[in-house]
């Protein structure tokens, strides 16, 4: 596994790009004409968080140009979705595929992306306010825009988590592994997240040979009592896994990039438990570029939607 320090060195040249409008030259000038343009749209964080997203997009092999945009954080206003779409349109692409670099398709941020792409989604006040504060709005382009699923239960996610876990426990036969995610607010979305992540956990177990593999979510943005109960479940799972194996439990986060949740919150949540935690998120890993490529290929068979075609608004989703 690539060390975080080496990743920092490798992405230092990319950090400046992540805080500005990012155009990645998968194809140049006239070479992009008639091809599929891609917008990788991520939550956004500090410059290093963003740089790891840019790096993964830069390594993806698609048949057209790629742009990176962010929904929140310092990079959002400088890499607005509508500007990314306009740049792709100016390069002559025939359609645009939007790949949400999110762990789950069941989130308020995924709704934001669907809304921006012209799908019939009415945002709640918080989600709409986030976009407004960064000056992000629907593009004026009439190109077909397709939004792919987020990571959900993609096989590449299991591959990354397996590699992260093996790095902490090269001989995992008698050990247990707990995969910890951010999670949503509502109970319905919690069920949807878990429906996707349980098969991921099963795949990780098959790949690695850990004696026991579980997954749980801390529901970081939920009201304080909900989050506190989620953290209690995480701690109880660690204790149960430790009792079953007699060894410290390996804990791996299913988070996109390195930020406050992986660096500060999860370590505080599991402090004092019999666990081993490094906090290495999904990025950086080459499998994430392969995931991006897979989503673009899948979108090739999807029915395109035009941003100007969807005027009707659907009922608002609960903020997540």
């Amino acid at each position: 596994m690539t060390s975080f320090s080496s990743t920092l060195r490798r992405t230092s040249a990319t950090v400046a790009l992540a805080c500005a409008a990012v155009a990645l030259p998968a194809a140049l000038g006239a070479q992009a004409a008639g091809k599929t343009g891609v917008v990788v749209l991520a939550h956004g964080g500090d410059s290093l968080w963003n740089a790891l997203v840019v790096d993964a997009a830069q390594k993806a092999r698609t048949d057209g140009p790629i742009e990176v945009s962010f929904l929140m954080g310092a990079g959002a206003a400088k890499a607005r979705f509508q500007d990314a779409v306009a740049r792709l349109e100016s390069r002559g692409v025939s359609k645009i595929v939007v790949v949400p670099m999110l762990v789950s398709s069941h989130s308020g941020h995924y709704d934001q992306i669907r809304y921006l792409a012209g799908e019939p989604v009415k945002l709640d006040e918080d989600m709409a306010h986030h976009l407004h504060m960064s000056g992000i709005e629907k593009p004026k382009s009439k190109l077909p825009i397709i939004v792919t699923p987020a990571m959900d239960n993609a096989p590449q996610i299991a591959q990354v988590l397996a590699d992260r876990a093996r790095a902490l426990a090269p001989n995992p036969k008698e050990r247990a592994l707990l995969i910890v995610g951010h999670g949503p607010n509502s109970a319905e979305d919690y069920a949807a997240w878990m429906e996707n992540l349980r098969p991921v956990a099963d795949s990780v177990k098959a790949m690695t040979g850990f004696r026991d593999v579980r997954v749980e979510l801390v529901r970081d943005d939920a009201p304080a009592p909900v989050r506190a109960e989620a953290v209690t479940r995480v701690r109880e799972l660690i204790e149960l896994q430790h009792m079953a194996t007699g060894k410290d439990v390996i804990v791996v986060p299913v988070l996109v990039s390195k930020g406050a949740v992986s660096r500060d919150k999860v370590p505080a949540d599991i402090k004092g438990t019999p666990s081993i935690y490094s906090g290495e998120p999904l990025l950086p890993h080459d499998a994430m570029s392969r995931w991006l490529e897979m989503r673009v290929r899948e979108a090739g068979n999807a029915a395109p939607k035009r941003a100007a075609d969807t005027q009707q608004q659907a009922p608002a989703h609960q903020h997540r």
Side-chain angles (χ1 to χ4, degrees):
M1 180 182 67
T2 304
S3 69
F4 185 71
S5 59
S6 64
T7 299
L8 177 60
R9 291 193 298 271
R10 190 179 71 238
T11 60
S12 59
T14 317
V15 171
L17 291 177
C19 293
V22 182
L24 302 176
L28 298 174
Q31 291 178 319
K35 296 191 175 183
T36 297
V38 176
V39 179
V40 178
L41 191 45
H43 178 283
D46 60 23
S47 58
L48 179 58
W49 196 104
N50 294 352
L52 295 175
V53 175
V54 174
D55 187 56
Q58 197 168 29
K59 291 176 178 176
R61 298 186 291 271
T62 68
D63 74 343
I66 302 178
E67 296 272 342
V68 175
S69 185
F70 302 101
L71 293 168
M72 296 182 68
K78 299 177 182 179
R80 302 182 307 175
F81 178 72
Q82 66 266 33
D83 299 331
V85 169
R87 284 192 295 274
L88 291 174
E89 187 171 26
S90 72
R91 297 174 72 176
V93 301
S94 60
K95 66 179 179 180
I96 293 173
V97 171
V98 181
V99 183
M101 192 165 274
L102 304 170
V103 170
S104 177
S105 300
H106 300 274
S107 74
H109 293 304
Y110 190 80
D111 286 346
Q112 285 178 313
I113 294 171
R114 293 178 58 220
Y115 166 83
L116 290 171
E119 294 189 20
V121 175
K122 182 175 176 61
L123 298 179
D124 65 30
E125 289 186 9
D126 284 344
M127 293 289 100
H129 179 70
H130 291 163
L131 296 179
H132 176 73
M133 291 301 292
S134 296
I136 302 171
E137 58 189 30
K138 293 181 180 181
K140 297 189 180 345
S141 171
K142 294 183 179 180
L143 285 175
I145 298 177
I146 300 168
V147 178
T148 77
M151 297 175 192
D152 296 334
N153 61 356
Q156 294 86 355
I157 308 310
Q159 180 184 343
V160 178
L161 294 173
D163 286 349
R164 298 294 188 241
R166 277 190 292 248
L168 296 177
N171 300 301
K173 184 177 179 181
E174 296 303 322
R175 284 188 177 275
L177 168 67
L178 180 62
I179 299 166
V180 177
H182 183 289
N185 290 3
S186 76
E188 294 82 3
D189 288 335
Y190 171 82
W193 276 62
M194 294 297 284
E195 183 179 3
N196 279 320
L197 288 174
R198 289 189 192 280
V200 169
D202 291 342
S203 295
V204 172
K205 183 177 181 180
M207 290 179 186
T208 60
F210 273 89
R211 178 174 168 182
D212 184 69
V213 179
R214 306 294 176 96
V215 61
E216 191 51 273
L217 308 171
V218 295
R219 300 174 76 175
D220 191 62
D221 293 329
V226 176
R227 190 186 192 283
E229 173 58 27
V231 171
T232 296
R233 288 199 305 272
V234 168
R235 296 178 65 88
E236 288 176 345
L237 269 176
I238 293 173
E239 294 291 349
L240 288 170
Q241 288 180 303
H242 176 255
M243 288 175 61
T245 63
K247 297 182 182 296
D248 287 349
V249 176
I250 304 301
V251 180
V252 171
V254 57
L255 297 165
V256 175
S257 195
K258 193 137 189 163
V261 177
S262 64
R263 184 181 58 244
D264 304 321
K265 291 188 177 183
V266 173
D269 292 336
I270 65 174
K271 185 177 180 181
T273 63
S275 58
I276 298 173
Y277 175 80
S278 73
E280 289 296 323
L282 296 171
L283 293 174
H285 196 291
D286 287 344
M288 297 307 298
S289 298
R290 308 292 82 79
W291 163 77
L292 198 161
E293 294 163 3
M294 180 187 75
R295 288 295 187 236
V296 174
R297 288 195 304 270
E298 291 171 344
N301 298 321
K305 294 183 174 71
R306 295 180 184 272
D309 288 345
T310 51
Q311 301 298 323
Q312 181 181 0
Q313 294 294 305
H317 285 263
Q318 181 180 6
H319 171 50
R320 302 186 279 271

